[in-house]
Amino acid sequence: MENRFAVVLAAGQGTRMKSSLYKVLHPVCEKPMVEHVIDQVQKLNLEIIVTVVGHGADQVKQQLKNKSQFSLQNEQLGTAHAVMQTSEFLKGKKGTTIVLCGDTPLITAETISQLIGLHEKTKAKATVLTAIAKDPTGYGRIIRDNEGNVGKIVEHKDANEEELKVSEINTGTYCFDNEVLFDTLTKVKNDNAQGEYYLPDVIEILFKSNEKVSAFATNNFEETLGVNDRVALSQAEKYMKDRINRKHMKNGVTIIDPNQTYISDSVEVGKDTVIYPGTIIKGQTSIGEGCQVGPNSEIANSTIGNGTVIKQSVVHESEIKDQAVIGPFAHIRPSSFIDKNVKIGNFVEVKKSDIGSDSKVSHLSYIGDAEVGTNVNIGCGTITVNYDGKAKHLTKIEDDAFIGCNSNLIAPVKIGNKSTVAAGSTITEDVPANSLSIARSRQMNKLDYNKK
Ligand code: UD1
Ligand code: CA
């Protein structure tokens, strides 16, 4: 929308995180905090979005790419100083500017819209989003006059005893008349406990010069949680997880225990799929309808069809089609394609392999760099010997082949259509179609040996 702008503050180091990773890049449900904020802001179709970067500027830019413009704040002199750095994009423009913090990952587009709505309806010069915190420690406090107007915001470190008792907090999200904002920023001083230029001081300056200041009090504190340390990070993770799980449940997914189900923002799940506890689904993953996932499974960057069962297993960067049964205790490694009706049983590892429909690898096998046809039966303990210490080689097993238990298939090698490999074989040469191959030493029985 024209004449509406956003500034996202993300230049701070985040000392309280005690981390070598810059604060706003810490992930919540797999996505960096600042990206959660930007993704919500993007839904509002604003004219310009500027992110203020400083600490970790390159990494933040790399993460957000073209989702935002960037202004650099070389020295972190405070949130007012940070906003001032966006002059190159915003100064002199008529319109409304929304300011948000990159460390409030739960804020939603709906709440920001409501804030803009109130700001424009009341024709305020500034509108602050406030919330009631059970424990307001660390937040700026909203100080109202006798008529309930917001007169100023006092930072925790600058607050007196009375002010510390206030539970209404500054969420760090605001709307401003853009021209008034840039005029007022120059009046902000840094004579406070932290020696910083505080953006919330703009509110007091405007109030004292009789400009209209509004406040929009959300009743949803969770959404405004500011993450300054790892304790808050774990709370944000929980709130975000609950939000994501609720979305899926509303869409028809059964989640047996939402407290123990971890689904990232980017994941899609079809209806009537049941997710059992201890399951982590992340990255660009899509799961079809009527599946059963978990317990204790991890699926990342994978596509799963309909009616597929994945129990106690790990699936990474792979595709599994309809009605397959995976696990318990299977490991599907990257670049695997598992067609419909396939069974991959316990203690089977599949890597960079295609397994055709109706095939079975039921127990204790390693299938790597293989192309397996349809309706193949791979017996217990079969190994595709794909690596010679230098290079990986292909094993081809054609349709309807039967591989006996405990076979080694030394790649490169091909097992033809409808052929059988006898149990215990070490296959080093191709097996033609329709044949039986036995590649093991003959059994010798020494009669009466133990009578001696
Ligand atoms: C800030 C608010 C506080 C509010 C809280 C809500 C100020 C002075 N205080 O406190 O009233 O209750 O957020 O979560 O604004 N940043 C910069 N440049 C700077 C300083 C900060 O870009 O020079 C960025 C940080 O990266 C962060 C955001 O601004 O994303 C807020 O800074 P932070 O230091 O976390 O402020 P709080 O103490 O949480
Ligand atoms: Ca903060």
Side-chain angles (χ1 to χ4, degrees):
M1 190 176 276
E2 266 180 50
N3 306 116
R4 283 185 182 168
F5 322 106
V7 172
V8 177
L9 305 181
Q13 161 128 51
T15 324
R16 290 165 280 183
M17 295 296 282
K18 308 222 164 88
S19 175
S20 48
L21 182 66
Y22 305 103
K23 177 166 75 174
V24 297
L25 290 178
H26 274 265
V28 170
C29 291
E30 294 281 313
K31 193 200 278 188
M33 294 200 275
V34 64
E35 198 170 1
H36 278 289
V37 176
I38 293 280
D39 285 350
Q40 292 298 320
V41 170
Q42 278 204 323
K43 292 187 189 170
L44 303 167
N45 292 317
L46 308 178
E47 192 182 326
I48 304 176
I49 302 172
V50 193
T51 302
V52 181
V53 292
H55 283 284
D58 291 343
Q59 287 91 329
V60 175
K61 283 183 183 173
Q62 209 182 4
Q63 181 65 38
L64 298 177
K65 300 210 169 68
N66 55 9
K67 289 183 177 178
S68 175
Q69 314 264 20
F70 300 97
S71 288
L72 184 67
Q73 185 192 26
N74 271 319
E75 260 186 302
Q76 282 59 57
L77 302 179
T79 44
H81 178 259
V83 174
M84 219 166 349
Q85 308 312 304
T86 65
S87 303
E88 48 178 327
F89 292 105
L90 300 180
K91 198 172 175 184
K93 282 201 166 1
K94 280 198 190 327
T96 300
T97 298
I98 305 129
V99 178
L100 305 107
C101 295
D103 65 353
T104 55
L106 290 137
I107 191 87
T108 61
E110 294 73 46
T111 299
I112 305 168
S113 291
Q114 288 176 316
L115 177 72
I116 300 170
L118 181 79
H119 177 77
E120 293 182 348
K121 198 178 107 198
T122 59
K123 298 201 168 64
K125 297 292 188 244
T127 304
V128 55
L129 178 68
T130 76
I132 303 295
K134 265 195 207 124
D135 175 10
T137 307
Y139 289 94
R141 306 298 205 281
I142 303 293
I143 308 300
R144 292 178 183 259
D145 67 10
N146 293 335
E147 283 142 40
N149 301 307
V150 175
K152 63 175 174 177
I153 297 171
V154 181
E155 289 307 297
H156 184 97
K157 286 185 180 154
D158 298 288
N160 62 34
E161 228 168 280
E162 277 308 299
E163 290 164 339
L164 284 175
K165 285 182 195 147
V166 173
S167 60
E168 188 181 10
I169 57 118
N170 169 25
T171 66
T173 306
Y174 325 75
C175 269
F176 296 100
D177 174 300
N178 185 65
E179 288 167 301
V180 170
L181 171 64
F182 280 89
D183 286 346
T184 314
L185 284 173
T186 57
K187 299 176 189 157
V188 173
K189 299 206 170 62
N190 66 349
D191 50 353
N192 52 50
Q194 302 183 80
E196 285 183 7
Y197 297 92
Y198 292 161
L199 180 61
D201 284 359
V202 167
I203 302 293
E204 185 177 3
I205 297 169
L206 292 177
F207 181 78
K208 282 190 172 154
S209 42
N210 293 316
E211 296 285 10
K212 172 81 183 160
V213 173
S214 293
F216 178 68
T218 167
N219 55 14
N220 186 348
F221 170 75
E222 287 178 12
E223 215 186 275
T224 65
L225 180 78
V227 175
N228 296 324
D229 60 23
R230 310 264 185 163
V231 175
L233 183 66
S234 78
Q235 283 162 344
E237 183 82 21
K238 184 183 177 329
Y239 296 152
M240 187 69 77
K241 173 167 76 84
D242 290 350
R243 182 188 289 176
I244 293 169
N245 285 344
R246 213 173 302 135
K247 174 187 82 181
H248 290 297
M249 291 188 280
K250 291 239 159 98
N251 286 341
V253 177
T254 296
I255 298 181
I256 302 292
D257 185 353
N259 286 328
Q260 292 191 63
T261 302
Y262 308 83
I263 306 178
S264 301
D265 207 25
S266 46
V267 169
E268 286 170 24
V269 186
K271 69 176 160 53
D272 291 324
T273 283
V274 181
I275 302 176
Y276 289 87
T279 295
I280 301 172
I281 308 174
K282 57 189 183 176
Q284 296 303 316
T285 293
S286 147
I287 294 179
E289 297 182 2
C291 293
Q292 183 185 320
V293 181
N296 303 321
S297 294
E298 179 180 296
I299 303 179
N301 298 310
S302 294
T303 304
I304 314 295
N306 299 321
T308 286
V309 176
I310 300 176
K311 288 184 200 169
Q312 277 112 337
S313 291
V314 175
V315 178
H316 283 181
E317 276 103 72
S318 290
E319 182 171 0
I320 301 176
K321 303 300 270 187
D322 299 350
Q323 313 290 342
V325 177
I326 310 294
F329 312 113
H331 186 184
I332 311 299
R333 291 173 51 200
S335 305
S336 294
F337 174 85
I338 293 175
D339 214 334
K340 55 185 194 305
N341 266 322
V342 165
K343 179 168 191 283
I344 305 286
N346 33 205
F347 308 110
V348 171
E349 176 176 338
V350 177
K351 186 219 84 171
K352 202 180 177 194
S353 294
D354 276 22
I355 315 262
S357 56
D358 303 302
S359 290
K360 292 188 173 68
V361 192
S362 296
H363 355 249
L364 296 152
S365 290
Y366 172 66
I367 306 297
D369 302 291
E371 283 174 31
V372 177
T374 61
N375 197 36
V376 168
N377 192 315
I378 296 184
C380 177
T382 296
I383 307 288
T384 55
V385 184
N386 61 328
Y387 187 48
D388 59 14
K390 288 196 188 88
K392 305 277 167 66
H393 302 283
L394 181 74
T395 300
K396 230 177 148 191
I397 305 175
E398 293 186 335
D399 298 350
D400 305 306
F402 183 99
I403 313 294
C405 290
N406 232 31
S407 297
N408 299 310
L409 310 176
I410 314 273
V413 71
K414 184 171 115 179
I415 314 296
N417 257 329
K418 292 196 166 83
S419 56
T420 300
V421 170
S425 292
T426 292
I427 301 291
T428 54
E429 282 161 39
D430 288 358
V431 177
N434 301 305
S435 346
L436 165 68
S437 181
I438 307 175
R440 61 188 186 216
S441 48
R442 229 169 233 289
Q443 181 171 336
M444 179 192 287
N445 290 340
K446 297 199 170 179
L447 300 177
D448 297 330
Y449 181 82
N450 282 339
K451 282 191 175 166
K452 280 181 204 157

